[in-house]
Amino acid sequence: MAKIVLGKRPKNFKRVVSFDLPEGGKGSIEVSFLYRTRTEFGAFVDELLDAAGVTPASQSDEDVKFSLAKALEKTVDTNSDYIMKIVDGWNLDAEFSRDSVQQMCDEYPGASQALIDTYRMAIAEGRLGN
């Protein structure tokens, strides 16, 4: 078990993210997520909601998740933009770039939502798995 040292936060953390493939079955990708504290993540989500003009009905987890989903659906490019702000690398053969992320979101729509959900759960709820 890793020893916890307060004040020595990680720069990033890795997760294997699984998602449903359009043709059936499961796909997975290992990504390196940018680390944010829970407070920083809250400010990050607030910025996204403000930019999209979306306001949660309350501060409950369900209302915030629903509002974030609505904000990410506002434009086609939003998922790619969001992923570029939370991921700093992956194990795909394609270079990690905005164009590659856009292509992944277009070809594998389940991947983008799985990445977004995995990041939120890891940062806001501290969960290890998918």
Side-chain angles (χ1 to χ4, degrees), residues 3-125:
K3 180 176 177 164
I4 295 173
V5 179
L6 297 179
K8 293 188 86 178
R9 58 190 263 168
K11 177 184 176 205
N12 52 31
F13 60 97
K14 291 185 178 183
R15 291 284 191 277
V16 174
V17 179
S18 297
F19 52 93
D20 293 326
L21 296 172
E23 68 273 15
K26 288 278 191 187
S28 65
I29 177 174
E30 182 181 60
V31 296
S32 174
F33 286 114
L34 295 169
Y35 179 81
R36 285 182 172 86
T37 65
R38 192 171 180 173
T39 302
E40 290 167 342
F41 179 71
F44 174 65
V45 169
D46 286 347
E47 286 176 29
L48 293 171
L49 296 176
D50 286 346
V54 175
T55 305
S58 75
Q59 289 302 308
S60 75
D61 190 45
E62 285 303 311
D63 283 341
V64 171
K65 283 194 300 191
F66 177 75
S67 297
L68 181 56
K70 283 177 43 181
L72 292 172
E73 290 172 2
K74 283 281 187 177
T75 69
V76 173
D77 294 334
T78 303
N79 284 350
S80 299
D81 293 340
Y82 184 89
I83 290 169
M84 291 301 296
K85 292 177 182 178
I86 65 172
V87 173
D88 64 358
W90 59 17
N91 70 341
L92 295 181
D93 290 337
E95 174 188 6
F96 179 73
S97 67
R98 188 176 188 301
D99 288 340
S100 294
V101 170
Q102 179 69 39
Q103 182 179 358
M104 181 201 63
C105 290
D106 188 35
E107 293 177 7
Y108 298 99
S112 59
Q113 193 59 52
L115 288 167
I116 290 166
D117 290 345
T118 299
Y119 185 72
R120 182 193 56 78
M121 287 188 297
I123 294 295
E125 299 175 19

